[in-house]
Amino acid sequence: MTSSSVDWRNRFGWPWLTQIKEQGGCGSCYIFSGVGVLEAMLRIEHFVWSLRSEGDVGDAISLYFGAHAKCQGGSPGEVLDWAVTNGVADPGCWPYDQGEQVAEPTADRLGRTGKLDGYVTLSGAGNMKQWIDANGPISACFNCYPELDGACKNDSVYIYRNPDNQPSDGHCIVIVGYDDTKNAWLIRNSWGTGWGTDGYGWFGYGQGAHGLENYVCYGILGSATNPDPWTKRRMHNGVLYESGDGQYHRNFEVWTPGPGHVVRHYYRDGSSGNWALAETLPEVTLPPGLATGYDGNGIPAATGSTYFRDFEVVYPTTGGKLSTGAAAPMLHHFLYDQLAGKWIDRGLFGPTDVDGIPAFIQTNAGAPGNFEVVVRRATGQLENWWRDDVDNNATWAVRSAFGQDVLWSGATLVERWTANGVPTVGTPAGLDLVSVTAAGTMQRWWRDDPSTMTWVSCETFGAGVDSPPVMIRSQFGATDETVPGNYELCVAVAGEIQHWWTPGNPQPGITATWSKSATFATNVAGQQVREVLGLIQSSYGFDLEVIAELGNGSLQHFWRDGGGWHPGPVFGSVSA
Amino acid sequence: MPDDVPGEGIPEPRPIPIPVPIPVRPITLYSRGGNLSSVPLAASTAPADLERILAVDTSNPFLQQLRIQQGLLKATDIAPGNLGRTPITSEIPEVPR
């Protein structure tokens, strides 16, 4: 039986809708309607704020339909047809503007589009309610009369009256709920927060030719949505990444060391929940005269990049088999080319005395965004390398060295939050990083991108830490797409995993308050946790997922849901 | 004979063009943009078979529970590893315990 009321502005105790938008003086409501549904479903199914751009659709759809101009009107069905083929990018890739123009998105558009497999056409109130209740918001159009302009104030319900017999025009909105007590649908308009009740309004059921049920509506099944790597770039670190692969677009990918210096790729199928070995990364191609083989020698770090959603992996090397013969452990970069369907060796980079776990991310600096790596050297210093992905022919270069007596580097590099979360390409947001000191405490570092780009030491926290930490930015605390979520950090201490967090965007010069949320252990008899290898916030209801290495080299999956932390399956090994 | 050349007698009256009706659009405070001619009427479209379409798993544990409660989804059709995760109903998990 369908629920008697639904309100996706806040349902199940969580917010699901981005801030109200404004189409301005442009007849583009149909785009806001279609894109609004995709945006909501990405959040509802994958638990991530994923702001999409109506301009990305509107300024490209003009070409798609020939002389059609985005402000001259259209239907959400046309928008969704286009989006099924092309996806919808974020405003940083190409923003919405009221003017008529041809889209010129950033070069990495294919890696920053929220995708959908298809959509469903709904007909009649029964269809509409059942879909809104059991899936999410829908796109709807109706005969709109001038009286709607001033309607829906203070949660009042709009009922067609039109005493002056004014003509109507077509208008499209998103239905984000309903209430059988009010006998009304809850609509999300694209007329700014000044319209209705903070941009929303109640629209009476029925009303025949003047009602929301008069025309078909459109819905997107949650499992048909697939968020982009750019949207999720802060929500994973280390060896673990949730890709868009699989039927439900929620596969987990893991890269770990294996015997014989290989790098293995495991995955968890999002349909079956089963872990399996996908492949071993190929042997490296060495210069003439040197042996071929594998050169992995440590914990990798991986990400999904905006280069066509490619997988990118960086791992420490043996050093002895490569380069010029001397033992020079460096970093090796591999990518999985999603278009070609194969791994590509992108060569060595980094210091020649790597002695730690690399942190590896793609930032918002440029489009495609730069890669940034921080790794511990044998000297006990941290070294920051970067790859300029726009202006320097994708060449790795050292940026700076910092710190001393560092015990562990870890996969803790996270891009800081720009002012108001504005997703402008190239906005210097800075980076945060956590390392482990020789004294066994954790140390946060901040890279001062707005000015000198130097690394500044911040607060320390924890004690007795004897392994590398992993850190992400989660969606907890992110009340909408403009608000930064918390930092979540997991680290193995004395054979157990500690989970730490701190709210928001810790400011430089201000000591952030870190709290230890939980300590948990493996359930494998006789084993302890050696180190945490990867951490994500997954599509599974804001859950945190951890991959850890046990004392015997086994790999174990842990997750945290509303019931706390749980030990999951053991699925592989770094030593067997 | 061209019209502008004076001729004999009174010229034939020119036909008065009949104005083409211009679609009347209401004057409104806010822009619209829905082309309703491209949106089918619900009365001419059969309802979607949602018992079938919604009988699929979702990553959202709230909706997974709701679909099972409403008989749309069978718990036995969901892989054990994806079933029964406890929804996080607030940020309580962040509180030390």
Side-chain angles (χ1 to χ4, degrees):
Chain A
M1 184 175 180
T2 303
S3 305
S4 59
S5 68
V6 173
D7 184 344
W8 280 106
R9 288 176 299 183
N10 191 307
R11 194 180 187 201
F12 311 121
W14 294 98
W16 304 99
L17 306 176
T18 57
Q19 291 186 349
I20 284 288
K21 300 183 182 182
E22 187 159 0
Q23 66 187 85
C26 171
S28 54
C29 67
Y30 63 106
I31 306 174
F32 284 80
S33 176
V35 171
V37 173
L38 173 61
E39 210 172 67
M41 292 316 304
L42 285 164
R43 168 77 174 171
I44 291 168
E45 184 70 15
H46 297 283
F47 291 80
V48 58
W49 290 120
S50 183
L51 192 67
R52 300 294 93 190
S53 169
E54 288 74 15
D56 179 69
V57 179
D59 295 328
I61 213 168
S62 302
L63 298 176
Y64 184 65
F65 289 112
H68 185 108
K70 76 168 185 271
C71 295
Q72 301 306 308
S75 78
E78 294 166 339
V79 169
L80 295 175
D81 283 337
W82 189 86
V84 166
T85 303
N86 301 284
V88 181
D90 63 279
C93 182
W94 183 254
Y96 174 77
D97 185 274
Q98 297 178 44
E100 299 285 11
Q101 54 199 328
V102 175
E104 295 180 25
T106 56
D108 59 346
R109 183 184 179 281
L110 291 180
R112 49 199 301 169
T113 54
K115 299 202 292 189
L116 67 158
D117 299 331
Y119 62 93
V120 174
T121 301
L122 305 163
S123 176
N127 247 197
M128 294 160 65
K129 279 188 182 177
Q130 189 172 18
W131 187 271
I132 293 167
D133 185 25
N135 186 73
I138 61 177
S139 166
C141 300
F142 60 102
N143 288 298
C144 183
Y145 296 87
E147 62 187 4
L148 190 74
D149 285 3
C152 301
K153 298 291 184 191
N154 302 315
D155 281 324
S156 60
V157 177
Y158 168 71
I159 303 291
Y160 168 80
R161 301 191 195 285
N162 196 21
D164 300 328
N165 200 27
Q166 291 282 313
S168 68
D169 207 346
H171 188 48
C172 307
I173 45 75
V174 183
I175 305 180
V176 299
Y178 60 85
D179 190 330
D180 287 348
T181 304
K182 291 178 180 287
N183 280 313
W185 304 100
L186 176 61
I187 67 171
R188 171 185 163 96
N189 214 334
S190 49
W191 293 346
T193 55
W195 178 82
T197 306
D198 299 326
Y200 292 89
W202 292 99
F203 194 115
Y205 287 162
Q207 310 197 54
H210 315 299
L212 291 176
E213 305 90 336
N214 190 46
Y215 293 92
V216 300
C217 302
Y218 302 100
I220 300 171
L221 196 62
S223 54
T225 61
N226 184 354
D228 57 294
W230 187 86
T231 288
K232 299 191 295 185
R233 71 191 187 281
R234 294 182 174 98
M235 295 169 63
H236 60 88
N237 235 328
V239 306
L240 179 59
Y241 173 65
E242 183 184 88
S243 72
D245 291 357
Q247 177 186 359
Y248 294 101
H249 307 300
R250 61 184 186 193
N251 285 4
F252 297 164
E253 319 283 342
V254 170
W255 291 268
T256 70
H261 300 295
V262 302
V263 175
R264 286 170 168 166
H265 173 198
Y266 296 90
Y267 77 107
R268 179 186 186 275
D269 180 80
S271 300
S272 69
N274 294 332
W275 286 93
L277 179 65
E279 64 203 327
T280 297
L281 265 60
E283 291 185 327
V284 293
T285 302
L286 304 174
L290 295 177
T292 60
Y294 300 106
D295 67 340
N297 195 37
I299 307 299
T303 192
S305 73
T306 61
Y307 288 96
F308 309 105
R309 292 172 147 84
D310 290 349
F311 299 148
E312 314 267 351
V313 177
V314 166
Y315 63 85
T317 69
T318 57
K321 292 177 65 177
L322 296 177
S323 78
T324 57
M330 301 178 69
L331 295 170
H332 211 138
H333 177 204
F334 264 86
L335 69 85
Y336 183 77
D337 186 327
Q338 296 280 13
L339 295 179
K342 65 179 182 182
W343 287 94
I344 296 175
D345 182 354
R346 295 309 305 268
L348 296 165
F349 71 99
T352 55
D353 60 348
V354 168
D355 188 18
I357 313 298
F360 171 42
I361 62 169
Q362 184 179 26
T363 72
N364 191 35
N370 295 338
F371 290 152
E372 298 276 355
V373 165
V374 173
V375 69
R376 179 185 181 275
R377 296 178 55 188
T379 60
Q381 276 195 308
L382 297 168
E383 197 155 281
N384 180 189
W385 284 69
W386 69 299
R387 202 184 82 167
D388 185 338
D389 287 338
V390 175
D391 298 326
N392 196 23
N393 197 28
T395 301
W396 286 95
V398 64
R399 194 187 291 276
S400 60
F402 59 101
Q404 59 183 1
D405 297 328
V406 173
L407 184 62
W408 289 102
S409 58
T412 57
L413 197 54
V414 180
E415 186 176 24
R416 288 176 56 80
W417 200 253
T418 52
N420 299 319
V422 176
T424 306
V425 170
T427 304
L431 304 174
D432 277 321
L433 177 86
V434 172
S435 62
V436 179
T437 69
T441 59
M442 289 180 281
Q443 165 92 64
R444 182 168 69 92
W445 298 87
W446 166 68
R447 198 179 79 181
D448 179 10
D449 280 14
S451 55
T452 60
M453 299 189 83
T454 55
W455 286 89
V456 180
S457 64
C458 305
E459 72 280 351
T460 60
F461 58 101
V465 179
D466 51 5
S467 70
V470 182
M471 182 173 77
I472 63 169
R473 185 185 293 285
S474 74
Q475 296 284 296
F476 294 119
T479 49
D480 65 34
E481 73 278 13
T482 67
V483 180
N486 300 340
Y487 278 151
E488 315 282 341
L489 181 147
C490 285
V491 64
V493 178
E496 297 184 313
I497 299 175
Q498 293 182 354
H499 170 218
W500 293 78
W501 69 283
T502 192
N505 205 33
Q507 292 304 303
I510 297 175
T511 299
T513 301
W514 289 84
S515 302
K516 187 165 64 176
S517 170
T519 301
F520 54 101
T522 178
N523 59 346
V524 177
Q527 291 300 311
Q528 292 188 325
V529 174
R530 177 180 291 163
E531 55 191 331
V532 175
L533 305 181
L535 171 65
I536 62 171
Q537 187 166 41
S538 72
S539 291
Y540 294 92
F542 296 119
D543 290 357
L544 300 176
E545 320 269 346
V546 158
I547 300 298
E549 180 188 335
L550 306 184
N552 64 0
S554 298
L555 299 166
Q556 186 168 19
H557 172 208
F558 299 81
W559 81 89
R560 189 193 72 175
D561 61 13
W565 284 95
H566 308 275
V570 173
F571 61 91
S573 172
V574 302
S575 57
Chain B
M1 177 183 292
D3 282 352
D4 56 351
V5 177
E8 294 181 359
I10 301 171
E12 289 287 324
R14 296 182 182 183
I16 300 172
I18 300 171
V20 177
I22 299 171
V24 178
R25 287 205 154 172
I27 298 171
T28 58
L29 182 61
Y30 300 105
S31 295
R32 276 72 162 148
N35 179 5
L36 297 178
S37 66
S38 298
V39 185
L41 287 167
S44 63
T45 307
D49 180 5
L50 298 190
E51 306 295 319
R52 177 184 62 80
I53 296 170
L54 292 173
V56 296
D57 192 16
T58 166
S59 303
N60 189 311
F62 303 105
L63 292 180
Q64 188 189 67
Q65 285 185 0
L66 189 138
R67 288 182 192 178
I68 291 171
Q69 288 167 3
Q70 294 183 350
L72 293 165
L73 182 60
K74 293 178 183 172
T76 52
D77 290 342
I78 304 171
N82 295 331
L83 178 66
R85 289 195 178 206
T86 306
I88 299 175
T89 52
S90 69
E91 299 198 13
I92 287 172
E94 301 288 69
V95 176
R97 58 172 98 194

